């Protein structure tokens, strides 16, 4: 574990969580407490069978150090886990997302072979920030050898549905400049300007690929204060503007439905975060 210093926060996060629990059609609804994710991959004695590999993937124009704080905090609570902060796409996030997915899949495979020899690998979980969450999904079809070990997928403000209905004009202007100046294939794919036929868009084809159904837990984290990724895109949620759009709306709706229908997880979490910078806390306990 790297050094973690105590820093007084300048803001206080408030989180709102929605949990969707899958239940068998022939049985009564299952209580959330009986499906705690800590129970997955464990034997009767409560010990994890094999190594739990957690892969952390940075976002657009990021690097592995962006994920170190998350890794350090997880290491405190799960010292038995093995962590991989992906480096193979550093400096290459302008590329085709499919190519980034292949690089990540190769990196995970090589890491698992080196650090989890034989049958020592028990579970694999992924955490992706922004574009990293989409890169992970692009890597999954190339990681089918691990499908029975997939545990938890977490995306932190990832543009699963792209930027078709992004409302931030400054961000839209920046995207336009980057696409023209840097010839970013990735941004063409995320804004769905990479093809003329709607079913030929990368995000549409990605929504039809396998991989998401292997996870037992899926967590989609979003924030209404995010100036880059539309909250509905991060939540994989239908948008009224798309429903009313007779031109491009059908593409957006079908991508969302394709992704959601592929999720077979026993638990789907949607977590919205809000950060308050001037939150006054009580100095005396409540009576």
């Amino acid at each position: 574990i790297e050094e973690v210093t105590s820093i007084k926060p300048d803001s206080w996060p408030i989180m709102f969580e929605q949990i969707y629990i899958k239940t068998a059609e022939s049985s009564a609804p299952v209580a959330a407490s009986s499906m705690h994710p800590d129970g997955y991959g464990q034997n009767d004695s409560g010990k994890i069978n094999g190594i739990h590999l957690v892969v952390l993937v940075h976002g657009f124009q990021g690097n592995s150090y962006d994920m170190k704080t998350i890794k350090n905090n997880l290491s405190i609570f799960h010292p038995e886990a093995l962590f991989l902060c992906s480096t193979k796409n550093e400096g290459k996030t302008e590329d085709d997302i499919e190519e980034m997915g292949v690089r990540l899949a190769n990196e995970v495979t090589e890491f698992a072979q080196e650090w989890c020899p034989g049958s020592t690998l028990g579970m694999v979980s992924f955490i992706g920030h922004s574009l990293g969450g989409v890169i992970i999904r692009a890597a999954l079809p190339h990681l089918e050898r691990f499908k029975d070990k997939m545990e938890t997928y977490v995306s932190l403000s990832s543009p699963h549905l792209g930027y078709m209905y992004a409302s931030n004009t400054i961000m839209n202007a920046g995207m336009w400049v980057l696409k023209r100046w840097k010839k970013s294939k990735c941004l063409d794919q995320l804004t769905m300007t990479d093809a003329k036929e709607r079913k030929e868009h990368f995000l549409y084809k990605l929504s039809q690929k396998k991989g998401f159904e292997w996870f037992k837990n899926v967590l989609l984290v979003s924030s209404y204060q995010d100036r880059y990724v539309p909250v509905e895109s991060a939540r994989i949620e239908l948008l009224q503007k798309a429903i009313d759009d007779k031109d491009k709306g059908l593409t957006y709706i079908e991508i969302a439905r394709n992704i959601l229908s592929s999720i077979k997880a026993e638990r789907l979490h949607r977590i919205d975060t809000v950060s308050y910078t001037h939150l006054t806390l009580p100095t005396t306990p409540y009576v």
Side-chain angles (χ1 to χ4, degrees), residues 51-254:
I51 298 171
H52 187 176
L53 172 61
V54 181
V55 182
L56 300 99
V57 184
H58 63 79
F60 184 69
Q61 295 185 342
N63 58 60
S64 62
Y65 287 95
D66 297 342
M67 309 301 291
K68 287 296 178 69
T69 299
I70 298 176
K71 189 210 80 171
N72 289 341
N73 281 279
L74 287 175
S75 297
I76 295 173
F77 292 99
H78 298 281
E80 77 288 346
L82 180 65
F83 295 90
L84 166 62
C85 290
S86 175
T87 62
K88 293 299 183 181
N89 286 308
E90 291 182 353
K92 301 175 183 178
T93 55
E94 306 280 356
D95 293 355
D96 187 322
I97 299 175
E98 177 64 29
E99 294 177 3
M100 287 188 268
V102 172
R103 286 196 288 265
L104 174 62
N106 292 338
E107 181 179 19
V108 171
T109 300
E110 293 171 4
F111 186 87
Q113 290 174 343
E114 180 177 358
W115 293 95
C116 308
S119 58
T120 58
L121 181 63
M123 298 183 290
V124 183
S125 295
F126 289 89
I127 302 175
H129 171 242
S130 192
L131 175 62
V134 182
I135 295 174
I136 292 169
R137 289 176 47 218
L140 292 178
H142 308 285
L143 293 170
E144 190 167 3
R145 71 186 68 186
F146 303 117
K147 68 177 182 179
D148 295 330
K149 302 182 184 297
M150 296 298 183
E151 182 69 12
T152 299
Y153 170 91
V154 181
S155 67
L156 308 173
S157 289
S158 295
H160 296 287
L161 305 180
Y163 291 92
M164 185 183 294
Y165 296 105
S167 58
N168 188 322
T169 55
I170 296 178
M171 190 275 292
N172 287 337
M175 295 269 282
W176 184 87
V177 171
L178 285 173
K179 287 197 295 182
R180 297 299 183 276
W181 177 41
K182 288 203 169 185
K183 306 296 183 183
S184 175
K185 177 66 173 177
C186 163
L187 294 184
D188 279 335
Q189 292 170 326
L190 291 177
T191 54
M192 287 189 262
T193 56
D194 57 322
K196 293 182 178 180
E197 298 295 327
R198 65 184 186 87
K199 291 189 177 182
E200 292 301 314
H201 291 301
F202 170 78
L203 288 182
Y204 191 99
K205 291 190 286 187
L206 180 61
S207 73
Q208 296 177 309
K209 292 187 177 182
K210 57 188 174 183
F212 236 167
E213 68 273 16
W214 301 332
F215 291 100
K216 295 176 181 177
N217 302 284
V218 174
L219 290 82
L220 308 173
V221 182
S222 60
S223 175
Y224 286 96
Q225 295 171 314
D226 192 329
R227 299 181 181 180
Y228 299 100
V229 177
V231 66
E232 295 84 5
S233 185
R235 287 170 57 89
I236 314 181
E237 189 172 63
L238 293 181
L239 181 66
Q240 186 61 45
K241 187 181 292 186
I243 297 174
D244 297 335
D245 186 351
K246 305 302 181 183
D247 181 21
K248 299 180 295 183
L250 182 61
T251 303
Y252 185 97
I253 292 170
E254 288 188 2

